Amino acid sequence: MNRSEFFKMIGGSLAFWYMNPSFVRAMANPEFTKALFGEDFHWGVTTSAYQIEGAWNVDGKGESIWDRFSNHEGHIKDKATGNIACDFYHRYHDDLKLLKNLNFKDFRFSLAWSRLLPEGSGKVNPKGIDFYNRVIDDCLALGIEPWVTLFHWDLPQALEDKGGWTSRDILGWFSEYAELCTRSFGDRVKHWMVLNEPTAFTTLGYLAGIHAPGHRGLNKFLAAVHHASMCQAEGGRIIRSNVPEAHIGTSFSCSLIEPHKAKPSHQKAAKRIDVMMNRLFIEPSLGMGYPVADLPFLKKLDKFMQPGDMEKLKFDFDFIGLQNYFRVEAKPGIIPFIWANRVKPDRGKVELTEMGWEVLPEGIYKIIKQFSRYPVKEIVISENGAAFNDVVAEGRVHDSQREHYFEQYLKQVLRAKNEGVNITGYFAWTFVDNFEWAEGFYPRFGIVYNDFESQQRLVKDSGFWFRDFLK
Ligand code: GAL
């Protein structure tokens, strides 16, 4: 074979491959597998106690602010309550088996403070301890790693009656609770998270009044912010001293904030929203103090500070939990103190979820990059997911939109990881359709469908997608 014949042959075979449709498809979308994320990557789902457990007054559990808030007519859409929710309290065993069958190896759940300490402090409820022992032991028996969140919004009502997060006494109450949890479960649980999205529960529950306990007021909000920030660090210290080899984090709601228009006034509005939504809790934990310079009304936090607090706000977390759901387009506006507004995404122009949140896979990449500029050791994507209008047809839920959502978001997570960000896990929100706070049961976020009448679980196509992806 001479040189020209050789090149003809190479050219011919290249042409064959280029024209082969499966080759073309593979090139356009190279095989996307979990192996690309590395062997040690954690794959899990996240849930929270109030949203799934039910059994709100069973076996000695005390009332939480969400029990009170949801049973009080008018707060929740369709008058829904979490009294039964997904009945995980009684069905945890089958649910964990199902999770295992979908090939997940990590399960993030929260402890209901008032199930363990019905009055918030003082007398311990042994049946509450037993319940979480059973859940943890079941996880371990199934080869699933438990990730425990200490606080996912369901404060004991007895503590709320004494001022809740607005009272500095919460530092003592929270420490007692964290001591109890770590001493009871720390022999088996290694992954711990202190708070779930402090920005969300302080703004929605203490400023906007749309989540429990329904307060509206700047002073209450600022008090709650400072006390939650103090507990965030103190919780970390308690875990560190009680749990050998603990992997300790806390989670933040992380949303990409962009100016609606490329004008200085829009850019400044975006910066102010960014402070409120993204910077308020992470910066003090890193020893940077509150981001007062970029949002002067935060100076009022001084009112709640005591000597030595600045130091106590710091804790050296092993990882941060990054939770991402939407982007905010900001413009100048009338929201007091922030003087900015959110531009509602237009359903005609962009894809929206049932919550009205824009589907923007690149948003997660950009927000990961933003948070990776902080000196954090490790990032775990501890919540990401979407509610869509799921329909059961002939025993199946073809939620291709959600399937696509996860695939596209995961590709952007991988992109950030490949660029060197130390991302070590991804937790989908959520496992089973559950009680979505003020929205009740209407938005379905699960990869498993729940029939709330019969409590029958039905794996959606997105659940099967994960099963195959994680095989
Ligand atoms: C998060 C929250 C979850 C869940 C999710 C979807 O902010 O931590 O509990 O409700 O949003 O809205």
Side-chain angles (χ1 to χ4, degrees):
M1 188 188 298
N2 63 30
R3 258 165 68 139
S4 81
E5 279 167 343
F6 175 75
F7 281 117
K8 241 192 199 155
M9 184 199 85
I10 299 265
S13 60
L14 280 180
F16 167 79
W17 282 110
Y18 279 126
M19 276 151 50
N20 178 328
S22 65
F23 177 77
V24 173
R25 258 202 318 273
M27 288 309 282
N29 187 11
E31 193 77 16
F32 183 60
T33 65
K34 77 162 189 179
L36 298 169
F37 291 78
E39 285 258 314
D40 300 332
F41 199 79
H42 293 281
W43 292 100
V45 292
T46 292
T47 62
S48 92
Y50 188 73
Q51 293 178 275
I52 60 166
E53 283 181 8
W56 72 303
N57 56 3
V58 169
D59 288 343
K61 180 180 168 293
E63 191 187 17
S64 80
I65 54 173
W66 272 95
D67 294 320
R68 176 71 63 93
F69 193 71
S70 65
N71 282 292
H72 194 288
E73 210 174 307
H75 284 314
I76 314 292
K77 279 196 188 142
D78 297 333
K79 299 185 185 153
T81 74
N83 295 358
I84 298 173
C86 309
D87 196 28
F88 181 79
Y89 187 78
H90 298 109
R91 294 165 195 269
Y92 68 92
H93 181 68
D94 288 345
D95 279 345
L96 291 172
K97 276 205 310 212
L98 181 56
L99 185 66
K100 166 84 181 170
N101 287 340
L102 297 182
N103 293 324
F104 286 96
K105 294 245 165 56
D106 298 85
F107 178 52
R108 178 179 167 222
F109 61 101
S110 74
L111 308 176
W113 188 338
S114 67
R115 198 178 288 293
L116 295 166
L117 290 161
E119 296 294 309
S121 76
K123 207 164 154 273
V124 175
N125 176 26
K127 290 196 171 159
I129 304 267
D130 287 351
F131 170 62
Y132 292 115
N133 274 335
R134 292 197 299 276
V135 171
I136 292 164
D137 290 345
D138 245 24
C139 281
L140 296 174
L142 288 163
I144 294 172
E145 286 191 56
W147 293 58
V148 163
T149 305
L150 287 176
F151 183 75
H152 200 130
W153 306 358
D154 47 353
L155 186 75
Q157 181 63 38
L159 298 183
E160 168 59 21
D161 294 342
K162 295 183 202 160
W165 286 103
T166 68
S167 163
R168 197 174 167 96
D169 289 343
I170 193 134
L171 267 70
W173 302 326
F174 188 76
S175 299
E176 181 187 337
Y177 168 59
E179 286 282 347
L180 174 70
C181 298
T182 48
R183 291 191 190 283
S184 306
F185 312 122
D187 56 337
R188 287 152 295 154
V189 175
K190 295 299 159 203
H191 307 281
W192 290 84
M193 295 177 75
V194 181
L195 301 181
N196 184 74
E197 296 191 0
T199 302
F201 78 77
T202 54
T203 50
L204 300 173
Y206 293 82
L207 189 62
I210 52 176
H211 275 193
H215 296 311
R216 281 200 187 121
L218 187 64
N219 262 331
K220 289 198 167 171
F221 166 68
L222 292 171
V225 166
H226 184 56
H227 300 142
S229 235
M230 294 286 284
C231 288
Q232 179 178 266
E234 190 55 24
R237 282 186 285 273
I238 291 170
I239 301 167
R240 182 76 80 223
S241 69
N242 291 347
V243 183
E245 288 162 37
H247 181 226
I248 309 170
T250 196
S251 78
F252 302 112
S253 37
C254 307
S255 306
L256 180 68
I257 317 290
E258 292 185 320
H260 180 52
K261 291 186 179 151
K263 286 182 173 177
S265 61
H266 287 238
Q267 281 152 354
K268 284 185 191 155
K271 190 164 190 177
R272 291 192 295 271
I273 296 191
D274 188 50
V275 171
M276 273 293 274
M277 294 185 67
N278 291 322
R279 297 173 50 192
L280 189 55
F281 283 90
I282 187 167
E283 294 194 2
S285 81
L286 292 167
M288 299 163 70
Y290 290 112
V292 176
D294 290 322
L295 198 55
F297 89 89
L298 293 177
K299 191 92 192 73
K300 291 176 197 278
L301 280 164
D302 280 354
K303 204 166 131 190
F304 305 99
M305 303 271 273
Q306 290 187 7
D309 278 9
M310 257 331 198
E311 229 3 75
K312 289 188 194 147
L313 287 170
K314 281 195 268 178
F315 180 71
D316 188 19
F317 284 104
D318 298 319
F319 70 95
I320 60 159
L322 185 152
Q323 319 208 140
N324 176 253
Y325 288 96
F326 49 77
R327 163 175 82 142
V328 173
E329 271 192 70
K331 63 174 187 184
I334 54 162
I335 299 178
F337 305 105
I338 305 169
W339 311 118
N341 268 78
R342 177 177 192 179
V343 178
K344 230 174 147 191
D346 182 344
R347 202 171 274 280
K349 292 195 184 136
V350 293
E351 185 188 357
L352 296 184
T353 71
E354 283 296 290
M355 300 289 278
W357 299 341
E358 179 186 6
V359 177
L360 184 72
E362 206 183 15
I364 199 167
Y365 165 80
K366 289 187 177 167
I367 197 71
I368 291 171
K369 295 292 269 195
Q370 179 175 330
F371 274 77
S372 72
R373 286 195 280 275
Y374 286 116
V376 293
K377 296 179 190 156
E378 196 184 315
I379 293 179
V380 172
I381 310 302
S382 46
E383 280 187 30
N384 172 232
F388 292 112
N389 184 16
D390 297 322
V391 181
V392 182
E394 291 163 13
R396 291 292 296 262
V397 178
H398 297 302
D399 59 337
S400 52
Q401 245 182 314
R402 185 177 290 102
E403 212 179 297
H404 189 68
Y405 177 101
F406 281 123
E407 186 170 342
Q408 297 312 307
Y409 273 73
L410 278 168
K411 283 183 175 166
Q412 295 291 332
V413 171
L414 183 62
R415 179 179 165 202
K417 187 170 160 58
N418 286 343
E419 287 175 16
V421 183
N422 188 22
I423 306 169
T424 56
Y426 178 91
F427 288 70
W429 182 270
T430 186
F431 184 40
V432 183
D433 295 334
N434 62 28
F435 177 85
E436 176 54 30
W437 308 114
E439 304 299 316
F441 291 106
Y442 171 64
R444 291 179 176 270
F445 275 91
I447 55 170
V448 175
Y449 185 92
N450 194 33
D451 177 334
F452 290 99
E453 290 290 310
S454 66
Q455 295 292 350
Q456 285 280 324
R457 317 297 201 225
L458 180 65
V459 179
K460 301 180 193 175
D461 283 1
S462 58
F464 291 124
W465 181 84
F466 266 113
R467 181 197 62 187
D468 296 343
F469 181 74
L470 298 177
K471 211 176 258 172

